[in-house]
């Protein structure tokens, strides 16, 4: 901006400035009856500035002029560009702008919002996305927010809403809780709340259990069942992991279920001396047969002596 004087005598009066200048601008007396106001207004320097210019001649006479300088500024978005919400939970996020002049900023939104939420321009340079995120909703929702304060140029930003699945818990039970090695054990796994689908996998411990890998969860009851005969002998602590589904977060049992697996007994093979693994139930059966045969032999001996 060039400030000039005219019709002065003596010529070329000194020029001075009084008042706060926008940050980034400076005043310079050119020494020839003119002065220059120049520079680049800093971010956030928008507004109206009242300045007073004074021209003083070498004879001491002076005159003043009041000057109003208006610096226009586009809005600046503040806050995060990525926010997170949870399925089936209340959600509120406020979009804010600053440094705009004129300050009457209009905010608009373009793009798909998570189901259950809506966008509201608050009329004061802020806007709100709020609502209860619909159950079963998850994923990433990028939307474009545009700010307009009437300068003919708008400012936009991309806001990414990340919706995570609803938290779940998982429990597990085993029937029967104690079995001989190689016998079947049936596990019941319950995911709460009942998810829209997904699978569960059992581990013993840390190793997937055969027959119990990626078992579908019933979306109505939240229950999955599986049967295995592969548990190793000993005290097996079996845990379960829900692998998550649309709108529902994954989960792992805090405590596993313990299954006591009895090892097979070893008896020699008759006539060979070689060991033969025999299950406890079979060993009991053989012992009972041997006892019955022994009693019959004793009965025959007693009968023979009577004769």
């Amino acid at each position: 901006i060039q400030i000039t004087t005219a019709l002065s005598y003596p010529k070329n009066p000194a020029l001075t400035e009084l008042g706060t200048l926008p940050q980034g601008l400076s005043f310079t007396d050119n020494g020839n009856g003119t002065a220059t106001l120049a520079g680049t207004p800093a971010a956030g320097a928008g507004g109206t500035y009242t300045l007073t210019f004074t021209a003083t001649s070498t004879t001491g006479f002076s005159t003043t002029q009041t000057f109003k300088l208006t610096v226009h500024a586009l809005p600046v978005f503040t806050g995060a560009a990525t926010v997170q919400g949870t399925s089936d939970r209340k959600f509120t996020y406020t979009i804010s702008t600053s440094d705009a002049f004129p300050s009457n900023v209009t905010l608009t939104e373009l793009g798909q919002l998570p189901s259950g939420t809506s966008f509201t321009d608050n009329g004061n340079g802020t806007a709100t996305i709020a609502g209860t995120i619909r159950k079963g909703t998850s994923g990433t929702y990028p939307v474009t927010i545009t700010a307009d304060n009437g300068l003919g140029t708008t400012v936009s930003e991309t806001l990414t809403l990340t919706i995570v699945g609803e938290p779940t818990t998982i429990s597990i039970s085993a029937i029967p809780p104690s079995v001989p090695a190689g016998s079947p054990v049936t596990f019941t796994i319950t995911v709460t709340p009942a998810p829209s689908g997904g699978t569960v996998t059992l581990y013993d411990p840390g190793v997937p259990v055969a027959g119990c890998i990626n078992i579908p969860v019933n979306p109505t009851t939240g229950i999955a069942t599986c049967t295995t005969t592969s548990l190793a002998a000993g005290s097996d602590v079996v845990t379960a992991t829900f692998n998550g589904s649309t709108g529902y977060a994954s989960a792992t049992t805090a405590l596993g279920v313990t299954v006591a697996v009895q090892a097979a007994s070893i008896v020699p093979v008759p006539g060979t001396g070689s060991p033969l693994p025999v299950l406890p139930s079979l060993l009991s059966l053989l012992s009972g047969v041997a006892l019955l045969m022994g009693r019959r032999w004793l009965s025959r001996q007693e009968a023979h002596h009577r004769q």
Side-chain angles (χ1 to χ4, degrees), residues 86-88 134-139 163-168 195-196 244-249:
T86 302
S87 176
D88 199 32
R134 191 178 70 179
K135 190 178 185 70
T137 299
S138 63
I163 308 304
V164 299
E166 181 180 357
T168 60
S196 58
S245 65
T246 301
Y248 297 87

Side-chain angles (χ1 to χ4, degrees), residues 150-292:
L151 297 180
T153 300
T154 59
V155 179
S156 298
E157 77 160 358
T158 297
L159 174 66
T160 300
L161 307 176
T162 300
I163 308 304
V164 299
E166 181 180 357
T168 60
T169 58
I170 185 171
S171 61
I172 181 174
S173 62
I175 297 177
S178 178
V179 294
S183 297
V185 179
T186 297
F187 293 94
T188 299
I189 307 96
T190 303
V191 181
T192 306
S196 58
T199 62
V200 294
T201 296
L202 303 191
Y203 296 88
D204 175 29
V207 178
V209 175
C212 294
I213 300 173
N214 293 329
I215 305 303
V217 177
N218 185 307
T220 301
T221 63
I223 294 175
T225 60
C226 63
T227 300
T228 185
T229 59
S230 67
L231 296 181
S235 182
D236 294 74
V237 179
V238 180
T239 60
T241 294
F242 171 55
N243 300 315
S245 65
T246 301
Y248 297 87
S250 60
T252 298
T253 49
L255 297 173
V257 62
T258 300
V259 179
V261 181
Q262 306 159 19
S265 300
I266 304 297
V267 298
V269 178
T272 66
S274 299
L276 173 68
V278 180
L279 295 178
S281 57
L282 179 58
L283 182 61
S284 299
L285 176 62
L286 292 176
S287 299
V289 171
L291 180 60
L292 179 61

Side-chain angles (χ1 to χ4, degrees), residues 61-76:
F61 291 100
S62 63
T63 186
T64 61
Q65 180 187 45
T66 299
F67 181 80
K68 285 191 176 183
L69 173 64
T70 299
V71 178
H72 289 152
L74 293 172
V76 175

Side-chain angles (χ1 to χ4, degrees), residues 44-49 69-76 97-107 123-126 147-155:
T48 299
Y49 299 80
L69 173 64
T70 299
V71 178
H72 289 152
L74 293 172
V76 175
T97 60
S98 65
D99 300 340
F101 192 85
S103 59
N104 53 326
V105 179
T106 299
L107 293 170
N124 60 356
T126 70
D148 184 356
N149 66 336
L151 297 180
T153 300
T154 59
V155 179

